[in-house]
Amino acid sequence: MALAWLTGCAVPGTPLPIDGPAAPAAWTAPLPQGPAAPDLRAWWKLFGDPALDALVDEALARNLDLAIATHRLREARLQAGRAAVQFRPSFSGNARNVQDVTATDTYFHASIDMVWELGLFGAGDSVRAAANADVDASLADGQGIRVAVVADVVRNYLDLQSARRQLQQLDRLAQLDDRAQALADVRRRTRTGAAGEAAQARAQAAQTRAARALPQEAGARAAQALAVLLGRSTPDAAWTLPGAPGTPAAGALPPFGFQALPADLIRTRPDVRAAEAAVRKAEAGVGLARSELFPRISITGSLLYSYNITRNRRTTSDDVPAIGPVIDVPLFDWGRRVRQVDAQQQALQAAVLGQERALRAGVAEAEGALAALAAQQQRADALAAVVSAAQERTAAAATLARLGLASEYDGLAAHRALVQAESDQATANDARALAFVALYKALGGAPLPAGEGAVPERHAQARASQGVAP
């Protein structure tokens, strides 16, 4: 009866808030306004690009970092299963030869032994809680890798498309430069142009050719990075091929917006969840250290078979089964155990502060992404007005040339300004798309691993009530 009562004994740990530090009530940066928000777990599908969807699926299936994280998660689960049976009865068999104290007889002993450490005073619960926290930390680490892989695949794909667009714009500028050189030579021969026009046209053409180096390098780097993310040895040759002139640009981000974006989404970030797991593990460490201040109680049993080898006969005096408790009482190392409790308390406080730091860092990252998204949207809108004005100027120059009131050479500057304005607008749109990627990476957006539940129910309900996809 006493052992049954002791089995329920536990030492409570330090009480902590269930949810940890609170997320901010609202965002400082403005939220984008537009159609419904993308799904947090499949946000890249907003681009509407089947090629991008296929690359993300391939990366999730073949990325080596994700494969490593999967094995580490399995290891943590196996270790947790081992911890779960630590405080259950264990049986062992033993066979050995022994000699009596007088050195006259030799015995053969075979025994079946049982040891059951009860794990009282919170020891069992603390060990299991620490193992479960390790599993949660491995889950969070794997999800963090998944978030990074998806974001990196999308970002490098966007970089590839941006490099293609820049090269197409430079090709258009090169055609204008070739035409400008031809017209400048005609004007030089007919003495109708200003001095130095031909040299200026050649210099402009050389600058256009030199400008190709940067997008070519960026495209090659993005292709190599994408190959690594997909677990390929070499990039796909089609990634670096120039797109056909006039084809729609892939990777364009359509308008979108949020009815609301709960700041509590930050708590679903993998690093925040890992910090929460660290708090639970530290709390379990406090409970385990406290349990060591109390006696360790085990139940042992043994069933012995004894045979006298010297006299060639079986002995029955040692065959009596033995069972009873073993009590280990801490006495002379009490001070060391108390210091261990104090040390674990400090580790717990550090873990709590680490959770708060992770939450604040996540909020700052999301705020920065929202601010960048708003700024790039404003920039793209302003450049759209520039493109519109440049189109009007180009159309006016073409009209003057058609009426014979101006030459084709005079209209090349307006046409070149239009191409440059369109290039600047495309660059702004690319930056807006990258800010969109950064936002969903800051929110921890990625598919959940197969067989795993979604974020805590309270977060899902909060998002559903505010019109945001989970």
Side-chain angles (χ1 to χ4, degrees), residues 380-397:
D381 293 342
L383 288 174
V386 174
V387 170
S388 178
Q391 288 174 343
E392 294 179 1
R393 182 184 174 189
T394 303

Side-chain angles (χ1 to χ4, degrees), residues 23 40-41 140 143-144 147 262-274 276 359 440-446 448 454-460 463 470:
L40 178 64
R41 303 300 174 189
Q143 185 66 3
V147 169
D264 196 45
L265 280 173
I266 292 297
R267 298 185 59 82
T268 66
R269 281 171 54 104
D271 56 342
V272 175
R273 296 174 66 182
E276 292 174 352
L359 184 63
Y440 272 87
K441 183 179 180 181
L443 295 175
L448 289 172
V455 295
E457 185 65 22
R458 60 182 180 276
H459 302 315
R463 291 193 303 273

Side-chain angles (χ1 to χ4, degrees), residues 30-401:
L31 298 180
Q33 301 299 319
D39 184 355
L40 178 64
R41 303 300 174 189
W43 51 268
W44 63 91
K45 294 184 180 296
L46 182 65
F47 289 96
D49 191 337
L52 175 59
D53 297 342
L55 290 176
V56 171
D57 292 340
E58 182 178 352
L60 291 174
R62 300 182 57 182
N63 183 265
L64 297 180
D65 290 332
L66 283 175
I68 294 172
T70 300
H71 288 292
R72 288 177 176 170
L73 175 59
R74 292 173 182 170
E75 176 191 2
R77 284 176 169 162
L78 291 173
Q79 294 291 350
R82 178 173 175 268
V85 301
Q86 180 176 344
F87 294 101
R88 295 180 184 176
S90 62
F91 295 86
S92 62
N94 187 23
R96 65 189 184 279
N97 291 336
V98 296
Q99 197 171 44
D100 63 2
V101 293
T102 61
T104 57
D105 291 334
T106 301
Y107 297 86
F108 170 75
H109 282 181
S111 65
I112 298 177
D113 303 310
M114 183 271 291
V115 178
W116 180 12
E117 185 177 352
L118 299 180
L120 304 179
F121 307 106
D125 292 338
S126 297
V127 169
R128 287 187 290 270
N132 291 333
D134 286 336
V135 173
D136 291 342
S138 295
L139 274 170
D141 291 342
Q143 185 66 3
I145 294 174
R146 192 171 289 103
V147 169
V149 166
V150 172
D152 289 345
V153 167
V154 177
R155 190 182 68 249
N156 283 289
Y157 180 81
L158 294 178
D159 288 342
L160 275 174
Q161 302 307 320
S162 176
R164 281 185 172 186
R165 282 191 288 270
Q166 292 179 37
L167 290 174
Q168 289 178 359
Q169 298 289 352
L170 290 173
D171 288 341
R172 293 175 60 190
L173 290 177
Q175 293 176 0
L176 293 176
D177 293 337
D178 291 342
R179 184 58 178 166
Q181 289 185 75
L183 293 177
D185 289 338
V186 172
R187 289 163 64 89
R188 177 180 58 82
R189 289 194 301 269
T190 59
R191 301 181 182 276
T192 57
E197 283 182 349
Q200 182 180 0
R202 289 193 298 271
Q204 187 65 64
Q207 289 180 353
T208 301
R209 290 193 299 270
R212 297 181 62 87
L214 291 179
Q216 287 174 345
E217 178 185 358
R221 288 182 179 274
Q224 291 291 342
L226 197 56
V228 172
L229 290 167
L230 300 179
R232 300 186 185 184
S233 56
T234 56
D236 191 332
W239 293 345
T240 54
L241 293 177
T247 56
L253 180 65
F256 73 99
F258 302 107
Q259 296 177 2
L261 187 64
D264 196 45
L265 280 173
I266 292 297
R267 298 185 59 82
T268 66
R269 281 171 54 104
D271 56 342
V272 175
R273 296 174 66 182
E276 292 174 352
V279 171
R280 293 196 298 272
K281 184 173 182 179
E283 189 177 15
V286 173
L288 185 60
R290 285 179 173 174
S291 70
E292 293 179 354
L293 298 176
F294 297 85
R296 294 178 59 186
I297 301 177
S298 304
I299 299 176
T300 62
S302 178
L303 180 63
L304 176 66
Y305 170 84
S306 178
Y307 186 85
N308 191 321
I309 299 176
T310 304
R311 302 187 182 188
N312 195 24
R313 64 183 176 86
R314 180 181 176 187
T315 61
T316 58
S317 59
D318 297 331
D319 289 355
V320 179
I323 186 170
V326 175
I327 303 177
D328 181 7
V329 182
L331 292 176
F332 301 105
D333 62 344
W334 179 264
R336 179 186 66 82
R337 297 176 186 240
V338 171
R339 290 187 179 88
Q340 180 65 18
V341 173
D342 295 338
Q344 290 297 328
Q345 287 280 10
Q346 296 302 316
L348 175 59
Q349 295 303 321
V352 171
L353 293 175
Q355 180 185 3
E356 183 176 358
R357 178 187 62 185
L359 184 63
R360 291 182 177 179
V363 170
E365 186 177 348
E367 287 279 11
L370 281 171
L373 187 61
Q376 295 301 334
Q377 182 63 62
Q378 293 176 358
R379 179 188 174 197
D381 293 342
L383 288 174
V386 174
V387 170
S388 178
Q391 288 174 343
E392 294 179 1
R393 182 184 174 189
T394 303
T399 301
L400 291 176

